[in-house]
Amino acid sequence: MYALVDCNNFYASCERVFQPKFNGTPVAILSNNDGCVISRSSEAKAVGIPMGAPAFKLKELIKEKNVQVFSSNYALYGDLSNRVMTILSQFTPNVEIYSIDEAFLNFDGLSISDYHACGIQIKSRVQKWVGIPVCIGFAETKVLSKVANKIAKKFQDRTSGVYVIDSEEKRIKALRWTKIEDVWGIGYRTTKKAKLRNINTALDFIAPNNENWIKKEMGVIGLRLKYELEGKSVMDLEPIIEQKKSIAITRSFPKQIMEFDLLRERITTFASVCAEKLRKQKSCCHTIIVFLVVDKHSITTSKYYFNKAITLPYATNSTLTIANTAIDILRKIHQENKNIKFKKAGVIVTELIDENKKQFQLFEDENPKHLTLMQVMDRLNKKIGDTKVKLATQNLSLTWNMNQNHLSPKFTTNFKDILEIKCH
C-alpha cells in the first residue's frame, strides 16, 4: 500500500506556524523579488487571488480584502519541510520525497490493519509536532494514491483529511470523479487531445479501446499511468539521488544592469554559491556556463539570451577558480554587448564528478592551496553564518540583491530570529 502525504498550502502554512494571528485570514506568498503569487491560503483563493499573477496588479485587491502578503522565506520553508519528512520516516523507512511539500510512503511488509487510523495518526503527529496541516491518500499504486489525496483534500470535512482507496468500488468511483486534467502525468496538450476523443475522466482514460491511442501519444509512460490507475503497481519509489548532475544559480535583478562592475559582482556571488554547493555534495565540475538575459519587451532584436561556456582542463570546486572563470566568460559576453541592459543572470556548473575521483593533470592543474583555503572558508561560514567570508569582488553587505519587502523572520534557522516567550 502506498500513501501520498501532501502539506496543505505549504508556504502559507509555514508562515502561520509562528504567526497564528493570521489563521483564518487570506495569506499570499510572493516569488523572488516579490514578483508573482506562488502560494495562497484557502482564504486567499476564496477572495480571488490568482496563482502566478504579478503582485503589482493585485495591489488594490490585496488592500481591499486585507490579504497578508509575505516574501518567499525559503530557509524557513526548507527547515519545516525537513521536519515533516523526518516525522514521516518514523512510520515507514520507505519514503520518497517528491517535492518540498509532498512525499510518497510505501507500507509493503508492514502490518497495518487500519490505514485510515494510520493516516489520522500521521496527520495528528505532523500537526502537533510541526504545526503543518496535511492530507493523506492511500491506495495500491502511486498514481491512485495521488487521486486519493485529492479526494481527501477536497472533502476534508467528510474524510478528516485521510482517504483510502482499498476496494474496487472505491477505485471506480474515484476515477469517475477525477477529471482527466487532474490525473498525475497528464499535461495540457495531452488533455486537449484526450478530450477530442471524449476522454474526460480518469475512468474514460483507462477504457480498453484507448490503449492504442495512449501508446501512440504517450508511449511507455502513458501505459504505466494506465496500469497504475487500473490498480497494477508498476511505479516504485524513486531512489534518493544525493548528487545533482548540474548546479544552477540564477536571479532576476531589481532593475536592469548594463555596467560591467555590477554584473561582475552578481556573477561572482552566483559562482561562489555554486562552488559551495559542489563542496557540500563532495563534487567537482569541469564546465562553467554564464548566461545573461535581456527583457525581450525592451529590445527590437530577436536575441535576448546570451551565454558562453568554458571547460577547464581539470575538475574543481574551488570558489576562486569557478568565480574567476565565470568573470572571464562574463567579460567576453559584455564586450560583445556593451550597450545592452540585462534583467537576469546566472551561473551553471556541469559535467560533475565525485571529488574523490578527480583526475590530476601532469602539466596543468589547480593550485593545491585552494583546497585548504576552501575548507577554512566553509568552516568559518558555517560557524559565523550568512556567508561572512566572501571574495573581494562580492558585495559584503548582501547575498542576493532581491526585493523582499515582506520577508518574515527565519524563526528556526537564524538565532537572532528565535521567538522569545515571556513566562509569568
PDB file of all heavy atoms in Angstrom, residues 49-78:
ATOM      1  N   ILE A  49      -7.551  35.739  -5.257  1.00  0.00           N
ATOM      2  CA  ILE A  49      -6.126  35.941  -5.551  1.00  0.00           C
ATOM      3  C   ILE A  49      -5.675  34.828  -6.503  1.00  0.00           C
ATOM      4  O   ILE A  49      -5.640  33.662  -6.113  1.00  0.00           O
ATOM      5  CB  ILE A  49      -5.281  35.911  -4.263  1.00  0.00           C
ATOM      6  CG1 ILE A  49      -5.707  37.014  -3.305  1.00  0.00           C
ATOM      7  CG2 ILE A  49      -3.799  36.039  -4.604  1.00  0.00           C
ATOM      8  CD1 ILE A  49      -5.453  38.411  -3.800  1.00  0.00           C
ATOM      9  N   PRO A  50      -5.329  35.152  -7.752  1.00  0.00           N
ATOM     10  CA  PRO A  50      -4.972  34.102  -8.719  1.00  0.00           C
ATOM     11  C   PRO A  50      -3.518  33.652  -8.581  1.00  0.00           C
ATOM     12  O   PRO A  50      -2.651  34.439  -8.223  1.00  0.00           O
ATOM     13  CB  PRO A  50      -5.199  34.780 -10.078  1.00  0.00           C
ATOM     14  CG  PRO A  50      -5.025  36.237  -9.798  1.00  0.00           C
ATOM     15  CD  PRO A  50      -5.385  36.484  -8.369  1.00  0.00           C
ATOM     16  N   MET A  51      -3.282  32.386  -8.858  1.00  0.00           N
ATOM     17  CA  MET A  51      -1.938  31.820  -8.805  1.00  0.00           C
ATOM     18  C   MET A  51      -1.115  32.358  -9.971  1.00  0.00           C
ATOM     19  O   MET A  51      -1.581  32.423 -11.113  1.00  0.00           O
ATOM     20  CB  MET A  51      -2.011  30.298  -8.887  1.00  0.00           C
ATOM     21  CG  MET A  51      -0.700  29.598  -8.616  1.00  0.00           C
ATOM     22  SD  MET A  51      -0.227  29.757  -6.896  1.00  0.00           S
ATOM     23  CE  MET A  51       1.033  28.473  -6.816  1.00  0.00           C
ATOM     24  N   GLY A  52       0.127  32.776  -9.693  1.00  0.00           N
ATOM     25  CA  GLY A  52       1.032  33.231 -10.736  1.00  0.00           C
ATOM     26  C   GLY A  52       0.836  34.655 -11.183  1.00  0.00           C
ATOM     27  O   GLY A  52       1.569  35.139 -12.055  1.00  0.00           O
ATOM     28  N   ALA A  53      -0.125  35.362 -10.603  1.00  0.00           N
ATOM     29  CA  ALA A  53      -0.395  36.740 -11.022  1.00  0.00           C
ATOM     30  C   ALA A  53       0.682  37.679 -10.481  1.00  0.00           C
ATOM     31  O   ALA A  53       1.143  37.524  -9.358  1.00  0.00           O
ATOM     32  CB  ALA A  53      -1.767  37.175 -10.521  1.00  0.00           C
ATOM     33  N   PRO A  54       1.107  38.686 -11.273  1.00  0.00           N
ATOM     34  CA  PRO A  54       2.076  39.669 -10.791  1.00  0.00           C
ATOM     35  C   PRO A  54       1.513  40.444  -9.601  1.00  0.00           C
ATOM     36  O   PRO A  54       0.355  40.861  -9.615  1.00  0.00           O
ATOM     37  CB  PRO A  54       2.282  40.588 -12.004  1.00  0.00           C
ATOM     38  CG  PRO A  54       1.853  39.782 -13.187  1.00  0.00           C
ATOM     39  CD  PRO A  54       0.750  38.901 -12.691  1.00  0.00           C
ATOM     40  N   ALA A  55       2.346  40.630  -8.587  1.00  0.00           N
ATOM     41  CA  ALA A  55       1.886  41.272  -7.353  1.00  0.00           C
ATOM     42  C   ALA A  55       1.429  42.707  -7.585  1.00  0.00           C
ATOM     43  O   ALA A  55       0.463  43.164  -6.961  1.00  0.00           O
ATOM     44  CB  ALA A  55       3.000  41.233  -6.313  1.00  0.00           C
ATOM     45  N   PHE A  56       2.090  43.426  -8.494  1.00  0.00           N
ATOM     46  CA  PHE A  56       1.738  44.835  -8.691  1.00  0.00           C
ATOM     47  C   PHE A  56       0.335  45.010  -9.265  1.00  0.00           C
ATOM     48  O   PHE A  56      -0.297  46.045  -9.089  1.00  0.00           O
ATOM     49  CB  PHE A  56       2.781  45.535  -9.579  1.00  0.00           C
ATOM     50  CG  PHE A  56       2.729  45.160 -11.034  1.00  0.00           C
ATOM     51  CD1 PHE A  56       1.938  45.876 -11.922  1.00  0.00           C
ATOM     52  CD2 PHE A  56       3.481  44.102 -11.519  1.00  0.00           C
ATOM     53  CE1 PHE A  56       1.894  45.538 -13.264  1.00  0.00           C
ATOM     54  CE2 PHE A  56       3.438  43.752 -12.860  1.00  0.00           C
ATOM     55  CZ  PHE A  56       2.645  44.481 -13.735  1.00  0.00           C
ATOM     56  N   LYS A  57      -0.163  43.974  -9.937  1.00  0.00           N
ATOM     57  CA  LYS A  57      -1.505  44.051 -10.493  1.00  0.00           C
ATOM     58  C   LYS A  57      -2.586  43.754  -9.442  1.00  0.00           C
ATOM     59  O   LYS A  57      -3.769  43.963  -9.705  1.00  0.00           O
ATOM     60  CB  LYS A  57      -1.657  43.078 -11.662  1.00  0.00           C
ATOM     61  CG  LYS A  57      -0.850  43.454 -12.898  1.00  0.00           C
ATOM     62  CD  LYS A  57      -1.158  42.501 -14.044  1.00  0.00           C
ATOM     63  CE  LYS A  57      -0.406  42.908 -15.312  1.00  0.00           C
ATOM     64  NZ  LYS A  57      -0.727  41.986 -16.440  1.00  0.00           N
ATOM     65  N   LEU A  58      -2.168  43.265  -8.287  1.00  0.00           N
ATOM     66  CA  LEU A  58      -3.129  42.853  -7.263  1.00  0.00           C
ATOM     67  C   LEU A  58      -3.169  43.816  -6.070  1.00  0.00           C
ATOM     68  O   LEU A  58      -3.804  43.519  -5.060  1.00  0.00           O
ATOM     69  CB  LEU A  58      -2.776  41.450  -6.749  1.00  0.00           C
ATOM     70  CG  LEU A  58      -2.738  40.331  -7.793  1.00  0.00           C
ATOM     71  CD1 LEU A  58      -2.211  39.054  -7.156  1.00  0.00           C
ATOM     72  CD2 LEU A  58      -4.110  40.094  -8.391  1.00  0.00           C
ATOM     73  N   LYS A  59      -2.492  44.950  -6.177  1.00  0.00           N
ATOM     74  CA  LYS A  59      -2.395  45.861  -5.035  1.00  0.00           C
ATOM     75  C   LYS A  59      -3.761  46.258  -4.491  1.00  0.00           C
ATOM     76  O   LYS A  59      -3.997  46.254  -3.281  1.00  0.00           O
ATOM     77  CB  LYS A  59      -1.592  47.107  -5.432  1.00  0.00           C
ATOM     78  CG  LYS A  59      -0.089  46.859  -5.537  1.00  0.00           C
ATOM     79  CD  LYS A  59       0.655  48.152  -5.834  1.00  0.00           C
ATOM     80  CE  LYS A  59       2.160  47.898  -5.869  1.00  0.00           C
ATOM     81  NZ  LYS A  59       2.920  49.140  -6.171  1.00  0.00           N
ATOM     82  N   GLU A  60      -4.673  46.625  -5.381  1.00  0.00           N
ATOM     83  CA  GLU A  60      -5.991  47.071  -4.936  1.00  0.00           C
ATOM     84  C   GLU A  60      -6.778  45.935  -4.285  1.00  0.00           C
ATOM     85  O   GLU A  60      -7.419  46.112  -3.244  1.00  0.00           O
ATOM     86  CB  GLU A  60      -6.778  47.646  -6.123  1.00  0.00           C
ATOM     87  CG  GLU A  60      -6.190  48.935  -6.691  1.00  0.00           C
ATOM     88  CD  GLU A  60      -6.162  50.051  -5.662  1.00  0.00           C
ATOM     89  OE1 GLU A  60      -7.107  50.130  -4.846  1.00  0.00           O
ATOM     90  OE2 GLU A  60      -5.191  50.832  -5.649  1.00  0.00           O
ATOM     91  N   LEU A  61      -6.724  44.756  -4.909  1.00  0.00           N
ATOM     92  CA  LEU A  61      -7.443  43.596  -4.366  1.00  0.00           C
ATOM     93  C   LEU A  61      -6.863  43.181  -3.012  1.00  0.00           C
ATOM     94  O   LEU A  61      -7.610  42.855  -2.080  1.00  0.00           O
ATOM     95  CB  LEU A  61      -7.371  42.427  -5.349  1.00  0.00           C
ATOM     96  CG  LEU A  61      -8.111  41.140  -4.953  1.00  0.00           C
ATOM     97  CD1 LEU A  61      -9.599  41.407  -4.753  1.00  0.00           C
ATOM     98  CD2 LEU A  61      -7.893  40.049  -6.000  1.00  0.00           C
ATOM     99  N   ILE A  62      -5.529  43.207  -2.896  1.00  0.00           N
ATOM    100  CA  ILE A  62      -4.875  42.853  -1.643  1.00  0.00           C
ATOM    101  C   ILE A  62      -5.289  43.801  -0.523  1.00  0.00           C
ATOM    102  O   ILE A  62      -5.586  43.380   0.601  1.00  0.00           O
ATOM    103  CB  ILE A  62      -3.336  42.858  -1.826  1.00  0.00           C
ATOM    104  CG1 ILE A  62      -2.900  41.649  -2.673  1.00  0.00           C
ATOM    105  CG2 ILE A  62      -2.617  42.845  -0.480  1.00  0.00           C
ATOM    106  CD1 ILE A  62      -1.447  41.668  -3.077  1.00  0.00           C
ATOM    107  N   LYS A  63      -5.342  45.079  -0.857  1.00  0.00           N
ATOM    108  CA  LYS A  63      -5.738  46.079   0.141  1.00  0.00           C
ATOM    109  C   LYS A  63      -7.215  45.946   0.510  1.00  0.00           C
ATOM    110  O   LYS A  63      -7.591  45.998   1.688  1.00  0.00           O
ATOM    111  CB  LYS A  63      -5.452  47.481  -0.403  1.00  0.00           C
ATOM    112  CG  LYS A  63      -5.719  48.596   0.581  1.00  0.00           C
ATOM    113  CD  LYS A  63      -5.337  49.942  -0.014  1.00  0.00           C
ATOM    114  CE  LYS A  63      -5.609  51.068   0.990  1.00  0.00           C
ATOM    115  NZ  LYS A  63      -5.253  52.402   0.413  1.00  0.00           N
ATOM    116  N   GLU A  64      -8.044  45.726  -0.509  1.00  0.00           N
ATOM    117  CA  GLU A  64      -9.495  45.635  -0.285  1.00  0.00           C
ATOM    118  C   GLU A  64      -9.852  44.428   0.573  1.00  0.00           C
ATOM    119  O   GLU A  64     -10.705  44.504   1.470  1.00  0.00           O
ATOM    120  CB  GLU A  64     -10.213  45.559  -1.636  1.00  0.00           C
ATOM    121  CG  GLU A  64     -11.719  45.392  -1.523  1.00  0.00           C
ATOM    122  CD  GLU A  64     -12.376  45.115  -2.871  1.00  0.00           C
ATOM    123  OE1 GLU A  64     -11.698  45.299  -3.913  1.00  0.00           O
ATOM    124  OE2 GLU A  64     -13.543  44.703  -2.876  1.00  0.00           O
ATOM    125  N   LYS A  65      -9.204  43.283   0.313  1.00  0.00           N
ATOM    126  CA  LYS A  65      -9.542  42.034   1.015  1.00  0.00           C
ATOM    127  C   LYS A  65      -8.650  41.785   2.231  1.00  0.00           C
ATOM    128  O   LYS A  65      -8.761  40.730   2.865  1.00  0.00           O
ATOM    129  CB  LYS A  65      -9.437  40.848   0.049  1.00  0.00           C
ATOM    130  CG  LYS A  65     -10.338  40.963  -1.183  1.00  0.00           C
ATOM    131  CD  LYS A  65     -11.812  40.990  -0.796  1.00  0.00           C
ATOM    132  CE  LYS A  65     -12.703  41.019  -2.042  1.00  0.00           C
ATOM    133  NZ  LYS A  65     -14.144  41.052  -1.683  1.00  0.00           N
ATOM    134  N   ASN A  66      -7.771  42.736   2.535  1.00  0.00           N
ATOM    135  CA  ASN A  66      -6.876  42.613   3.694  1.00  0.00           C
ATOM    136  C   ASN A  66      -6.057  41.322   3.639  1.00  0.00           C
ATOM    137  O   ASN A  66      -5.975  40.559   4.610  1.00  0.00           O
ATOM    138  CB  ASN A  66      -7.672  42.686   5.001  1.00  0.00           C
ATOM    139  CG  ASN A  66      -6.772  42.887   6.220  1.00  0.00           C
ATOM    140  OD1 ASN A  66      -5.706  43.490   6.104  1.00  0.00           O
ATOM    141  ND2 ASN A  66      -7.194  42.378   7.357  1.00  0.00           N
ATOM    142  N   VAL A  67      -5.440  41.083   2.483  1.00  0.00           N
ATOM    143  CA  VAL A  67      -4.615  39.892   2.289  1.00  0.00           C
ATOM    144  C   VAL A  67      -3.236  40.130   2.896  1.00  0.00           C
ATOM    145  O   VAL A  67      -2.593  41.151   2.632  1.00  0.00           O
ATOM    146  CB  VAL A  67      -4.483  39.555   0.791  1.00  0.00           C
ATOM    147  CG1 VAL A  67      -3.605  38.321   0.597  1.00  0.00           C
ATOM    148  CG2 VAL A  67      -5.850  39.335   0.165  1.00  0.00           C
ATOM    149  N   GLN A  68      -2.764  39.199   3.708  1.00  0.00           N
ATOM    150  CA  GLN A  68      -1.429  39.282   4.292  1.00  0.00           C
ATOM    151  C   GLN A  68      -0.419  38.731   3.282  1.00  0.00           C
ATOM    152  O   GLN A  68      -0.523  37.577   2.876  1.00  0.00           O
ATOM    153  CB  GLN A  68      -1.357  38.482   5.597  1.00  0.00           C
ATOM    154  CG  GLN A  68      -2.360  38.919   6.647  1.00  0.00           C
ATOM    155  CD  GLN A  68      -2.167  40.361   7.066  1.00  0.00           C
ATOM    156  OE1 GLN A  68      -1.037  40.819   7.234  1.00  0.00           O
ATOM    157  NE2 GLN A  68      -3.268  41.083   7.241  1.00  0.00           N
ATOM    158  N   VAL A  69       0.539  39.564   2.891  1.00  0.00           N
ATOM    159  CA  VAL A  69       1.495  39.204   1.844  1.00  0.00           C
ATOM    160  C   VAL A  69       2.873  38.985   2.462  1.00  0.00           C
ATOM    161  O   VAL A  69       3.323  39.777   3.296  1.00  0.00           O
ATOM    162  CB  VAL A  69       1.561  40.307   0.771  1.00  0.00           C
ATOM    163  CG1 VAL A  69       2.623  39.977  -0.268  1.00  0.00           C
ATOM    164  CG2 VAL A  69       0.200  40.481   0.108  1.00  0.00           C
ATOM    165  N   PHE A  70       3.548  37.902   2.030  1.00  0.00           N
ATOM    166  CA  PHE A  70       4.887  37.588   2.526  1.00  0.00           C
ATOM    167  C   PHE A  70       5.833  37.335   1.353  1.00  0.00           C
ATOM    168  O   PHE A  70       5.434  36.762   0.335  1.00  0.00           O
ATOM    169  CB  PHE A  70       4.871  36.343   3.413  1.00  0.00           C
ATOM    170  CG  PHE A  70       4.117  36.522   4.706  1.00  0.00           C
ATOM    171  CD1 PHE A  70       2.783  36.153   4.801  1.00  0.00           C
ATOM    172  CD2 PHE A  70       4.743  37.054   5.811  1.00  0.00           C
ATOM    173  CE1 PHE A  70       2.088  36.309   5.986  1.00  0.00           C
ATOM    174  CE2 PHE A  70       4.049  37.214   7.005  1.00  0.00           C
ATOM    175  CZ  PHE A  70       2.723  36.851   7.093  1.00  0.00           C
ATOM    176  N   SER A  71       7.087  37.763   1.513  1.00  0.00           N
ATOM    177  CA  SER A  71       8.142  37.379   0.571  1.00  0.00           C
ATOM    178  C   SER A  71       8.528  35.930   0.839  1.00  0.00           C
ATOM    179  O   SER A  71       8.373  35.424   1.957  1.00  0.00           O
ATOM    180  CB  SER A  71       9.367  38.284   0.741  1.00  0.00           C
ATOM    181  OG  SER A  71       9.028  39.646   0.585  1.00  0.00           O
ATOM    182  N   SER A  72       9.067  35.256  -0.180  1.00  0.00           N
ATOM    183  CA  SER A  72       9.473  33.854  -0.015  1.00  0.00           C
ATOM    184  C   SER A  72      10.571  33.734   1.040  1.00  0.00           C
ATOM    185  O   SER A  72      11.606  34.398   0.937  1.00  0.00           O
ATOM    186  CB  SER A  72       9.979  33.291  -1.344  1.00  0.00           C
ATOM    187  OG  SER A  72       8.957  33.307  -2.304  1.00  0.00           O
ATOM    188  N   ASN A  73      10.340  32.891   2.021  1.00  0.00           N
ATOM    189  CA  ASN A  73      11.304  32.655   3.100  1.00  0.00           C
ATOM    190  C   ASN A  73      11.757  31.200   3.011  1.00  0.00           C
ATOM    191  O   ASN A  73      11.352  30.351   3.805  1.00  0.00           O
ATOM    192  CB  ASN A  73      10.651  32.947   4.455  1.00  0.00           C
ATOM    193  CG  ASN A  73      11.637  32.984   5.599  1.00  0.00           C
ATOM    194  OD1 ASN A  73      12.752  32.480   5.488  1.00  0.00           O
ATOM    195  ND2 ASN A  73      11.236  33.571   6.713  1.00  0.00           N
ATOM    196  N   TYR A  74      12.610  30.899   2.005  1.00  0.00           N
ATOM    197  CA  TYR A  74      12.931  29.509   1.702  1.00  0.00           C
ATOM    198  C   TYR A  74      13.720  28.824   2.820  1.00  0.00           C
ATOM    199  O   TYR A  74      13.658  27.598   2.955  1.00  0.00           O
ATOM    200  CB  TYR A  74      13.696  29.423   0.378  1.00  0.00           C
ATOM    201  CG  TYR A  74      12.851  29.819  -0.805  1.00  0.00           C
ATOM    202  CD1 TYR A  74      13.191  30.910  -1.605  1.00  0.00           C
ATOM    203  CD2 TYR A  74      11.686  29.118  -1.121  1.00  0.00           C
ATOM    204  CE1 TYR A  74      12.406  31.284  -2.684  1.00  0.00           C
ATOM    205  CE2 TYR A  74      10.897  29.483  -2.199  1.00  0.00           C
ATOM    206  CZ  TYR A  74      11.263  30.567  -2.980  1.00  0.00           C
ATOM    207  OH  TYR A  74      10.481  30.942  -4.045  1.00  0.00           O
ATOM    208  N   ALA A  75      14.463  29.594   3.610  1.00  0.00           N
ATOM    209  CA  ALA A  75      15.183  28.988   4.734  1.00  0.00           C
ATOM    210  C   ALA A  75      14.195  28.397   5.732  1.00  0.00           C
ATOM    211  O   ALA A  75      14.374  27.270   6.225  1.00  0.00           O
ATOM    212  CB  ALA A  75      16.059  30.036   5.409  1.00  0.00           C
ATOM    213  N   LEU A  76      13.130  29.130   6.015  1.00  0.00           N
ATOM    214  CA  LEU A  76      12.095  28.646   6.930  1.00  0.00           C
ATOM    215  C   LEU A  76      11.336  27.472   6.332  1.00  0.00           C
ATOM    216  O   LEU A  76      11.134  26.442   6.988  1.00  0.00           O
ATOM    217  CB  LEU A  76      11.126  29.780   7.262  1.00  0.00           C
ATOM    218  CG  LEU A  76       9.926  29.417   8.139  1.00  0.00           C
ATOM    219  CD1 LEU A  76      10.382  29.014   9.527  1.00  0.00           C
ATOM    220  CD2 LEU A  76       8.938  30.580   8.209  1.00  0.00           C
ATOM    221  N   TYR A  77      10.932  27.605   5.056  1.00  0.00           N
ATOM    222  CA  TYR A  77      10.145  26.549   4.421  1.00  0.00           C
ATOM    223  C   TYR A  77      10.940  25.248   4.324  1.00  0.00           C
ATOM    224  O   TYR A  77      10.403  24.155   4.568  1.00  0.00           O
ATOM    225  CB  TYR A  77       9.700  26.976   3.019  1.00  0.00           C
ATOM    226  CG  TYR A  77       8.999  28.318   2.966  1.00  0.00           C
ATOM    227  CD1 TYR A  77       9.011  29.084   1.798  1.00  0.00           C
ATOM    228  CD2 TYR A  77       8.329  28.837   4.072  1.00  0.00           C
ATOM    229  CE1 TYR A  77       8.373  30.312   1.736  1.00  0.00           C
ATOM    230  CE2 TYR A  77       7.696  30.073   4.018  1.00  0.00           C
ATOM    231  CZ  TYR A  77       7.727  30.810   2.846  1.00  0.00           C
ATOM    232  OH  TYR A  77       7.111  32.028   2.788  1.00  0.00           O
ATOM    233  N   GLY A  78      12.231  25.364   3.976  1.00  0.00           N
ATOM    234  CA  GLY A  78      13.059  24.162   3.849  1.00  0.00           C
ATOM    235  C   GLY A  78      13.248  23.449   5.173  1.00  0.00           C
ATOM    236  O   GLY A  78      13.207  22.219   5.242  1.00  0.00           O
TER     237      GLY A  78
END
